[in-house]
Each structure stands twice: as C-alpha cells, then as structure tokens.
C-alpha cells in the first residue's frame, strides 16, 4: 500500500500502519443494519395509541401516546416536538413529558380560537384512538456547551409545554442546572401544570417558577400584568448573559424581544421556538403594497391547477388539494416542505430559514411562502 510521506514522521506510525495492513478487509454490507438503527432513532412515522386524555385546564388537554406494540419510543431532547398528522394536514406539538420516560410521549394541546386542529383534537380525540406522528425533532433544546447551566425560560400559554419537559428532565436526571421559568397566563384558571410546577420549584433548589397573570381573578395574590422589562428585572434580577428561551403565542416573540433588548440583553443569548406561520404576512416590510392579500391567484403543481388567496400559505393550499409535501415545523425552520418556484413570484416570510442554495435554485419553504402572482411549483 502506498503511504503518504507524512505518515513516517510520527512516533509509532510504523506500528499503526502494520496493524492496518494486518486487518481482514470488511466486506459485509452494512446498509440494512444501518437503516434499522436510523429508523429506530429517527423514524419517519410512528403509529401511537392514545392511552389517556388528561384535562389540564378548561382550555387544554394532554394526550398520552404509546406504541401499540408496547415497545419503547425513540429518545428525544427536552424541548423537542413531534409532528402530528390529522384531518389531511399536520401540526407540530412539543413533547411535555420527560426524556427519562420513553414508554410514552405527552402532547399538551391548548384550544386556539377558530383553530382547526387544536379544537378537533380537544373535542374529538379519545383514549384508544390511534394517531400518526413523526419521530422527535427540533433544535429548541438545552445545549450545555453553548447555553451554560444558568438559563431563563419565558413562556406564554401552551408555550410552557417544552419548559415542562426541560424541568422534568432536570428533576428526573438530577441535573445541576439553574432554571428560572417566568410563565405568563391570561388568567389564573388557565395555568398549565400549576401544581407540578410549584412542587418542582419547592423540591429543587435550582428551579424557580414565577407566574404572571394578565387578567387575574379577585382571589389571585401573585404577580399581574405582562412580561415587560420591569417585571423581568424584578423577577430575574440582572440577566447576566444567561440564555433566554421564549415560547408562546406569536405576539409574545416581538414583544419579549423588545423588552429584553431594552435591558441590553444580547440577541445571540435569546432563543425562540418556531411557532407557526406569521399571523399577518402583509405586515412584513417586504410584502408589496400592490398585492391585495384577499385576491386569488392560480397555482400550478404538475398536473394540478387551482386558485388560492395570496395570504394563504402555499403548504396549506397544496394540502387542500391533496398535495402533501413532507412537513414538520410549519414555521419555516426545518425545510422539509421545500418547493421549487418554476414561474411566478412568492412572498417568503422572514421566518423562513433559507439556505444560500435555496435562493440560488429558487426553492422556498412552502409553510411560510405566499403566492403573489400566478405560480408554477414543483418539488
């Protein structure tokens, strides 16, 4: 075997090269074995039975899901989600259970006014039904190397679900981490996991939980108002470069960013969970003033042609016509729903995490892309 001249310049190189020469060549095909391992940890689909439906508050339910064959589920990192397929579409839901317990996943769903999927799940799903999900995915989880061991989590509404998984992870694994949750709720009757959150804070010195209620009942004696800069300063003290996670309704994101910025907290120490397409894409600066969002345009996808409003995400429009690109986050981040724009112009929302190659090849993320003109699309 021809050796690179540098190989002889290192101590012990001769012995290592001799050992390599003496090895019996590996000729076994590892493809099937590798595929089995990949599928076990990163399955494309899971068929899960609803074991129980827990009423958390009047507006929220937790669905406990297990494999139908009783086998263990793929591991996940606290804060990750699964994509749930239902009614011809899908939605991502954070896993609220602990990564220490892999015999089930808990998905906590809060009713959204006029929400197609949240209302369907809460009103119709019962124990015994079978649901289809992806395996766990997502980047909204603690990275000790970059995030450190002192973190803050600002949650609103059901955005507390990934925080719940993180807190359970700390408790179950005895992690040496300071975790301060500031949880904003509309009213004190709608606080998810209230008793467990308070119990975790009481039992674990590194865990602090503060509730902030926007519209309290007369019986509420805790903090009220919003997660503004004064409230955050009173509850958290100096942020001291701690990593801040934020998850909740879309309105929370720009608001929390503004409050943290006013406290001179660096943007690189703030992490947002992807949380859906923009409520109003026309509010983004690069939406053209001449494009009436209510007007319809023509979408052509291979042999299918249909009309849709400009302000409807292309992914939703495609699914309405039985065209279902692979999808997961539905927030412009994961890139699974990429489509190629062959003709026409689309508005790609600022939420889209496009690659340089996407822009060069005319790809966009269909979950946060809106047709401004007649368009022709392909995968």
């Amino acid at each position: 075997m021809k050796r690179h001249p540098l190989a002889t310049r290192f101590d012990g190189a001769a012995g290592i090269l001799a050992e390599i020469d003496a090895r019996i060549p590996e000729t076994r095909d590892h493809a099937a074995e590798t595929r089995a391992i990949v599928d076990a940890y990163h399955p494309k689909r899971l068929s899960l039975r609803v074991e129980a439906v827990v009423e958390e508050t009047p507006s929220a339910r937790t669905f406990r899901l297990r494999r139908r064959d009783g086998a263990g589920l793929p591991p996940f990192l606290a804060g990750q989600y699964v994509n749930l397929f239902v009614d011809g579409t899908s939605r991502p839901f954070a896993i609220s259970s602990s990564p220490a317990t892999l015999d089930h996943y808990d998905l906590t769903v809060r009713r959204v006014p006029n929400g197609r999927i949240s209302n369907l799940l809460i009103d119709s799903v019962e124990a015994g039904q079978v649901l289809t999900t992806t395996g766990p995915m997502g980047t909204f989880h603690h990275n000790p190397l970059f995030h450190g061991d002192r973190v803050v989590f600002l949650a609103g509404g059901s955005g507390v679900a990934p925080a719940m998984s993180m807190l359970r992870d700390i408790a179950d694994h005895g992690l040496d981490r300071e975790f301060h949750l500031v949880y904003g709720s509309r009213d004190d009757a709608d606080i998810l996991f209230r008793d467990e959150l308070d119990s975790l804070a009481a039992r674990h010195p590194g865990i602090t939980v503060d509730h902030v209620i926007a519209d309290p009942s007369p019986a509420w004696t805790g903090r009220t108002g919003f997660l503004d800069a004064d409230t955050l300063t009173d509850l958290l003290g100096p942020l001291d470069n701690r990593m801040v996670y934020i998850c909740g309704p879309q309105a929370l994101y720009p608001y929390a960013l503004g409050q943290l910025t006013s406290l001179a907290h660096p943007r690189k120490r703030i992490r947002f969970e992807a949380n859906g397409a923009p409520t109003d894409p026309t509010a983004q600066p690069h939406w053209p003033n001449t494009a009436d969002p209510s007007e319809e345009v023509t979408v052509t996808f291979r042999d299918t042609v249909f009309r849709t409003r400009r302000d409807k995400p292309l992914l939703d429009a495609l699914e309405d016509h039985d065209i279902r690109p692979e999808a997961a986050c539905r927030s412009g981040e994961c890139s699974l729903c990429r489509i190629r724009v062959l003709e026409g112009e689309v508005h790609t929302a600022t939420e889209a995490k496009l690659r340089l190659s996407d822009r060069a090849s005319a790809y966009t993320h269909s979950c946060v892309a809106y047709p401004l003109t007649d368009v022709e699309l392909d995968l």
Side-chain angles (χ1 to χ4, degrees):
M1 178 184 296
K2 184 178 180 180
R3 303 295 186 190
H4 193 283
L6 285 177
T8 60
R9 297 177 58 181
F10 296 96
D11 291 342
I16 294 173
L17 294 173
E19 181 183 341
I20 293 173
D21 289 340
R23 290 177 181 174
I24 299 173
E26 174 63 83
T27 58
R28 184 162 58 93
D29 183 1
H30 292 272
E33 179 183 349
T34 301
R35 183 74 261 169
I37 295 172
V38 170
D39 288 344
Y41 285 90
H42 303 285
K44 189 173 182 180
R45 296 289 186 272
L46 290 167
S47 180
L48 304 177
R49 179 176 56 83
V50 180
E51 180 186 70
V53 180
V54 179
E55 182 175 348
E56 302 287 359
T57 71
S59 67
R61 304 286 185 275
T62 289
F63 300 92
R64 176 156 294 184
L65 308 180
R66 296 185 188 269
R67 280 190 189 269
R68 289 192 286 175
D69 59 6
L73 289 160
F76 66 97
L77 297 170
Q80 290 189 302
Y81 66 89
V82 295
N83 197 31
L84 175 63
F85 297 88
V86 63
D87 195 32
T89 184
S90 65
R91 294 293 185 273
F93 291 103
I95 304 171
S96 56
S97 49
S98 170
T101 307
L102 293 177
D103 63 339
H104 69 272
Y105 294 153
D106 284 348
L107 305 185
T108 301
V109 181
R110 187 177 183 181
R111 189 183 298 278
V112 177
N114 301 315
R116 171 182 171 186
I117 301 305
S118 65
N119 291 322
L120 176 65
L121 293 172
I122 289 173
D123 292 336
S124 66
V125 171
E126 300 177 346
Q129 288 184 234
V130 175
L131 300 175
T132 299
T133 73
T134 63
M137 59 182 68
T139 61
F140 190 71
H141 53 78
H142 181 256
N143 183 325
L145 182 63
F146 295 103
H147 302 171
D149 292 325
R150 299 177 65 239
V151 299
V152 171
F153 197 117
L154 307 183
S158 60
V160 75
M164 194 71 238
S165 183
M166 293 179 182
L167 289 168
R168 287 166 167 163
D169 188 28
I170 292 171
D172 291 343
H173 289 113
L175 302 177
D176 184 16
R177 186 177 305 155
E178 292 183 24
F179 191 105
H180 195 149
L181 170 66
V182 181
Y183 180 18
S185 299
R186 183 179 64 254
D187 59 67
D188 40 304
D190 209 33
I191 302 174
L192 289 167
F193 311 116
R194 180 177 178 179
D195 291 342
E196 185 177 355
L197 286 170
D198 293 343
S199 175
L200 285 167
R203 290 185 288 112
H204 296 273
I207 295 175
T208 304
V209 176
D210 286 306
H211 300 288
V212 180
I213 305 302
D215 186 17
S217 71
W220 179 255
T221 58
R223 191 87 189 201
T224 61
F226 300 96
L227 305 187
D228 57 25
D230 289 340
T231 297
L232 296 180
T233 299
D234 289 346
L235 296 176
L236 299 170
L239 285 169
D240 194 26
N241 212 38
R242 282 177 283 178
M243 181 62 74
V244 179
Y245 305 103
I246 301 175
C247 186
Q250 284 188 337
L252 174 64
Y253 292 12
Y255 180 79
L257 178 61
Q259 301 306 304
L260 291 168
T261 300
S262 74
L263 296 174
H265 195 64
R267 177 63 182 85
K268 66 180 180 180
R269 302 299 290 172
I270 303 171
R271 302 198 70 232
F272 295 100
E273 169 63 309
N275 201 18
T279 304
D280 180 11
T282 68
Q284 298 187 342
H286 60 299
W287 181 280
N289 294 330
T290 56
D292 181 348
S294 66
E295 286 185 357
E296 291 190 343
V297 296
T298 299
V299 175
T300 302
F301 182 89
R302 298 178 182 174
D303 295 330
T304 302
V305 180
F306 59 87
R307 301 278 289 175
T308 187
R309 287 171 55 112
R310 284 194 177 104
D311 59 356
K312 186 168 190 172
L314 280 169
L315 178 58
D316 292 355
L318 291 167
E319 288 178 335
D320 287 346
H321 292 83
D322 294 323
I323 302 166
R324 296 189 172 86
E326 188 69 16
C329 75
R330 304 186 80 95
S331 304
E333 187 168 274
C334 74
S335 81
L336 288 178
C337 69
R338 289 193 322 156
I339 54 171
R340 191 173 186 185
V341 182
L342 303 178
E343 296 286 345
E345 183 182 357
V346 302
H347 169 86
T348 297
T350 54
E351 285 80 355
K353 304 297 190 296
L354 295 180
R355 305 179 181 93
L356 291 176
S357 59
D358 288 338
R359 300 182 189 279
S361 304
Y363 279 95
T364 188
H365 298 178
S366 61
C367 62
V368 292
Y370 303 81
L372 296 174
T373 66
D374 293 346
V375 293
E376 182 181 353
L377 310 173
D378 205 347
L379 296 178

